[in-house]
Amino acid sequence: MVERVQPGDAIHPGKPVTVDRYGVGARINHWITAASLILLGISGLALFDPSLFFLTALFGGGQNTRALHPWIGVVLFLSFFIFFFQLWRANLPAKVDWVWLSKFRDIIGGHEENLPELGKYNAGQKFIFWSMTFLILVLIASGIVIWEQYFAEYITIPVRRIAVLAHSIAAVLIICIFILHVYAAIWTRGTLRAMTRGSVTGGGPGPNPRRGLGDGAGQRKIGPAE
């Protein structure tokens, strides 16, 4: 028997309990987003600093890198916001997030029994989600302003200079957020499995897998396997 919890999620009772987290389409879209962000980071750094210009060889040279970079940005924007409209409700802040954050020592120490019951995502994951959302919006808006091939005649030089600065700052910040996301995915039990196989066992994803079923299992009174 499969019990549907919300679109994309399902609880399969058993030993252990299995929870469907992401369908095939969502997983493919996630990896397109991740690949786009990596390619943008590499090509952007190659264009940003002369000492990293050698990275343009990965794209067939400087001209190709300059031509491809903004189009990869468009792919990132579209793929991320497909993901955004699927997940934004699950990432809305909740009171329990502050309780979770207040138990930082228990999180780091692995004292799962002291952590509150969560929904699909913890406060850290929500922070990454909304940070990515904001920074991608800044990057696409500033990127359009400095995309000289199509918009040079509509943008003044002073505005373009401001856009370049905003684009650069947002790029550095999103690289930092991406590194944090990768680290958290490795540290948070069940996250990598959820994005490769589409399901987790016993709960999660979350640093507390016994509580990670959150709203789904909690509301349906189906307890995760020990």
Side-chain angles (χ1 to χ4, degrees):
M1 177 182 178
V2 177
E3 185 164 0
R4 185 65 56 184
V5 177
Q6 64 180 58
D9 287 5
I11 297 176
H12 304 264
K15 295 185 178 181
V17 170
T18 301
V19 182
D20 294 337
R21 285 298 187 184
Y22 304 103
V24 174
R27 298 201 305 275
I28 292 174
N29 191 64
H30 170 270
W31 292 112
I32 290 174
T33 301
S36 299
L37 191 54
I38 292 171
L39 292 174
L40 282 169
I42 295 172
S43 58
L45 289 171
L47 296 171
F48 181 76
D49 193 293
S51 66
L52 298 174
F53 188 75
F54 69 92
L55 293 173
T56 60
L58 298 173
F59 302 89
Q63 289 185 340
N64 285 341
T65 303
R66 185 177 180 182
L68 289 172
H69 181 81
W71 285 111
I72 299 172
V74 172
V75 173
L76 172 67
F77 174 78
L78 294 176
S79 63
F80 179 83
F81 277 92
I82 290 173
F83 213 51
F84 173 86
F85 287 114
Q86 295 172 338
L87 301 177
W88 70 270
R89 287 186 179 87
N91 282 279
L92 291 174
K95 291 182 179 179
V96 71
D97 294 329
W98 296 105
V99 178
W100 187 86
L101 287 170
S102 70
K103 296 183 178 292
F104 181 77
R105 291 185 179 180
D106 291 321
I107 296 169
I108 299 299
H111 302 300
E112 300 170 352
E113 67 281 358
N114 297 328
L115 299 179
E117 183 172 334
L118 301 172
K120 189 169 184 175
Y121 300 109
N122 61 46
Q125 292 167 320
K126 291 178 181 180
F127 168 77
I128 290 174
F129 178 84
W130 291 110
S131 296
M132 284 280 191
T133 300
F134 173 74
L135 291 172
I136 288 174
L137 286 173
V138 173
L139 287 169
I140 192 68
S142 58
I144 289 174
V145 171
I146 62 179
W147 198 350
E148 295 185 5
Q149 182 179 359
Y150 297 106
F151 304 102
E153 60 182 294
Y154 305 107
I155 308 298
T156 63
I157 291 177
V159 171
R160 190 176 298 126
R161 288 172 177 169
I162 295 172
V164 168
L165 178 61
H167 198 79
S168 301
I169 293 173
V172 171
L173 291 176
I174 204 168
I175 289 172
C176 294
I177 293 293
F178 181 75
I179 293 172
L180 178 62
H181 175 57
V182 172
Y183 172 77
I186 295 171
W187 172 74
T188 304
R189 198 179 314 173
T191 301
L192 288 177
R193 177 188 169 104
M195 272 305 172
T196 53
R197 303 182 189 180
S199 63
V200 293
T201 58
N208 188 346
R210 294 189 299 110
R211 300 172 186 267
L213 291 175
D215 297 334
Q219 292 175 3
R220 297 297 190 272
K221 307 300 182 182
I222 298 175
E226 295 295 336

